[in-house]
Amino acid sequence: MTSFPKDLIHKFTLTPTPFYYYNMELLDHTLQNLRLESDRYSFEVHYALKANANSHILKHINDFDLGADCVSGNEVTRAVETGFNSEKIVFAGVGKSDEEIKTALANNIHSFNCESMQELEVIDQLAGGMNKIAPVALRLNPNVSANTHKYITTGLEENKFGINQWELESIIEKLNSLHHIRLIGLHFHIGSQITDLSAFKSLCIKINEFQQWFSQRHIAIPHLNVGGGLGIDYHDPDGHSIVDFASYFRLFHEFLVVYPGQKVHFELGRAITAQCGSLISKVLYIKKGVNTHFMILDAGMTELIRPALYQAYHKIENITQGSADIQRYDVVGPICESSDCFGKSILMPLTSRGNLIAIRSTGAYGEVMSSNYNLREKVKAYYSDEF
Ligand SMILES: *Cc1c(COP(=O)(O)O)cnc(C)c1O
């Protein structure tokens, strides 16, 4: 019924709920597989800190010698403090503040992934003030649809991210006039939770076109950063606990044209940390509704906002009992918002007050997005190697 061993569930019953639990063996196996499959092609992988920035998790990831993908100055600082090599840190984001840019410049990061003309001017100015040359990759908008939820699609012209193709000519002109910036690469990121790999094939084809454009103008592009977004199986976390990195990297090897000496970079978040995390919660009340029963948990959207924010699916398991009697439930949290619902009309074994519920695949964009709304306290995290 569940992948949690009996003695672990027993330990859970002695621990105040709700809490996050991380399976560090699974994280390590995921990282081993990621390294194996990316090393085949000498691809460079940067871990996207925004998926999960817990120090304990970051240390494990850094042990596998990955780079870091940051989207704020504080993430750059956290990566450096954890021990990530600053020459392997990339910094993206549509709204980098002056302070954040200065933090990144002071740490001599690998590259700024720049998203607009004005940002290039500001980075140039700030780098000049610090007597530095800022390495810059242009984040280009490939206008490729990721077939994912509209809130996590980023590669379309109507999204706020990136530089559009029709702006390129003037961007290059501008670059020639800026003396504290060095163009080192192109950057792309089309969205998140992408399970249809054909979206990445479309991305490769677009990148090849962009590369031709640059090569015709004799502009060298030493680094290609294809972003992240590889999706995981939220429906079958035990059957597919590690994503198919082999097919993913093979696809880029097959369809991306790589010029001699060029380095290819990836930025993966969810695919690395999602499956190792679970949110463990207790049933407070069962309440009869009109067409359903409400299962009211002590965890809510303050601990896991993905269902409320993107109508995201997470597998929900009763890990206390596997009764043969099945009942239909709306699984909800205690927060005063109707969107505070983890699953509507789901069939589960007959459940009662005090049962433990595991919400699976919450290692990415879970704890890191938690809030104190309703003055709730931040919940604890436990790790299998110290639990
Ligand atoms: C969020 C983000 C990523 C990571 O996305 P995942 O879907 O977690 O792999 C990579 N690059 C950029 C620029 C991002 O904003």
Side-chain angles (χ1 to χ4, degrees):
M1 187 63 218
T2 170
S3 68
F4 296 106
K6 265 208 159 63
D7 55 332
L8 181 60
I9 294 171
H10 179 68
K11 270 192 189 172
F12 284 172
T13 60
L14 306 174
T15 309
T17 52
F19 59 89
Y20 266 95
Y21 178 78
Y22 294 99
N23 179 342
M24 302 307 282
E25 291 77 30
L26 177 58
L27 178 63
D28 286 350
H29 286 149
T30 305
L31 287 161
Q32 276 157 16
N33 188 254
L34 168 77
R35 274 248 71 123
L36 176 77
E37 299 301 340
S38 59
D39 282 351
R40 281 184 208 287
Y41 315 107
S42 303
F43 289 158
E44 183 94 29
V45 179
H46 304 257
Y47 169 63
L49 264 80
K50 76 173 191 282
N52 187 318
N54 284 8
S55 296
H56 195 68
I57 301 253
L58 289 183
K59 283 197 189 97
H60 272 251
I61 293 172
N62 187 42
D63 283 345
F64 287 80
D65 204 26
L66 300 197
D69 167 45
C70 302
V71 290
S72 74
N74 286 349
E75 283 190 1
V76 171
T77 305
R78 173 75 60 92
V80 171
E81 282 172 359
T82 308
F84 280 87
N85 181 347
S86 57
E87 283 162 29
K88 287 189 182 183
I89 295 178
V90 295
F91 181 19
V94 72
K96 303 177 188 75
S97 73
D98 293 19
E99 278 316 307
E100 291 178 311
I101 292 167
K102 285 192 220 163
T103 300
L105 283 168
N107 282 296
N108 298 315
I109 63 166
H110 178 269
S111 73
F112 291 85
N113 295 335
C114 285
E115 312 224 5
S116 68
M117 178 86 87
Q118 202 162 33
E119 186 190 331
L120 288 170
E121 293 169 346
V122 171
I123 293 179
D124 181 71
Q125 205 177 34
L126 295 173
M130 291 167 77
N131 225 345
K132 286 180 182 253
I133 308 277
V136 156
L138 298 176
R139 175 168 183 174
L140 301 181
N141 196 331
N143 208 17
V144 166
S145 170
N147 296 323
T148 184
H149 191 273
K150 62 180 190 294
Y151 285 1
I152 48 178
T153 295
T154 56
L156 293 174
E157 275 180 8
E158 72 242 37
N159 298 133
K160 68 178 176 180
F161 300 99
I163 294 164
N164 290 317
Q165 187 146 21
W166 42 267
E167 299 171 280
L168 259 188
E169 204 78 65
S170 50
I171 290 272
I172 297 303
E173 223 169 276
K174 169 64 70 182
L175 276 176
N176 288 331
S177 71
L178 302 176
H179 301 296
H180 296 277
I181 277 186
R182 189 172 71 246
L183 180 66
I184 63 138
L186 304 181
H187 173 238
F188 303 83
H189 176 66
I190 57 173
S192 200
Q193 183 49 17
I194 298 166
T195 48
D196 173 7
L197 289 188
S198 72
F200 293 116
K201 184 179 164 187
S202 307
L203 172 63
C204 288
I205 291 163
K206 277 315 265 234
I207 297 177
N208 297 344
E209 287 172 21
F210 274 114
Q211 288 230 82
Q212 266 185 342
W213 191 94
F214 282 89
S215 131
Q216 278 157 6
R217 285 159 184 78
H218 307 289
I219 303 170
I221 303 293
H223 299 276
L224 278 184
N225 184 335
V226 302
L230 177 59
I232 62 132
D233 190 344
Y234 281 98
H235 290 268
D236 188 11
D238 296 318
H240 295 123
S241 57
I242 298 179
V243 296
D244 186 0
F245 288 119
S247 300
Y248 173 69
F249 290 118
R250 195 187 313 118
L251 181 142
F252 282 91
H253 174 68
E254 233 169 88
F255 294 104
L256 187 66
V257 175
V258 180
Y259 288 46
Q262 214 169 35
K263 190 103 198 135
V264 182
H265 301 253
F266 291 79
E267 304 168 333
L268 294 174
R270 187 190 313 268
I272 297 175
T273 57
Q275 296 293 29
C276 78
S278 293
L279 175 60
I280 309 297
S281 173
K282 203 170 268 171
V283 177
L284 291 175
Y285 304 104
I286 302 288
K287 168 169 143 173
K288 208 165 160 22
V290 181
N291 298 312
T292 185
H293 287 73
F294 291 102
M295 184 191 298
I296 302 165
L297 305 184
D298 62 3
M301 64 193 286
T302 40
E303 288 70 50
L304 178 68
I305 201 174
R306 297 190 67 256
L309 194 58
Y310 326 111
Q311 291 102 44
Y313 173 87
H314 283 268
K315 191 167 183 205
I316 302 170
E317 292 175 350
N318 183 330
I319 56 174
T320 302
Q321 56 183 14
S323 153
D325 295 327
I326 298 293
Q327 176 78 261
R328 196 172 286 282
Y329 294 102
D330 280 10
V331 182
V332 303
I335 309 300
C336 300
E337 299 283 342
S338 293
S339 61
D340 184 29
C341 175
F342 291 120
K344 265 201 159 37
S345 192
I346 55 175
L347 294 171
M348 284 179 69
L350 209 57
T351 296
S352 37
R353 171 175 161 86
N355 286 175
L356 282 176
I357 301 295
I359 304 178
R360 305 290 307 277
S361 317
T362 53
Y365 307 106
E367 197 187 353
V368 78
M369 290 176 104
S370 63
S371 79
N372 298 107
Y373 185 41
N374 288 193
L375 287 188
R376 282 165 66 84
E377 277 170 30
K378 195 167 158 48
V379 302
K380 287 206 164 96
Y382 298 98
Y383 305 90
S384 61
D385 56 350
E386 344 181 290
F387 189 56

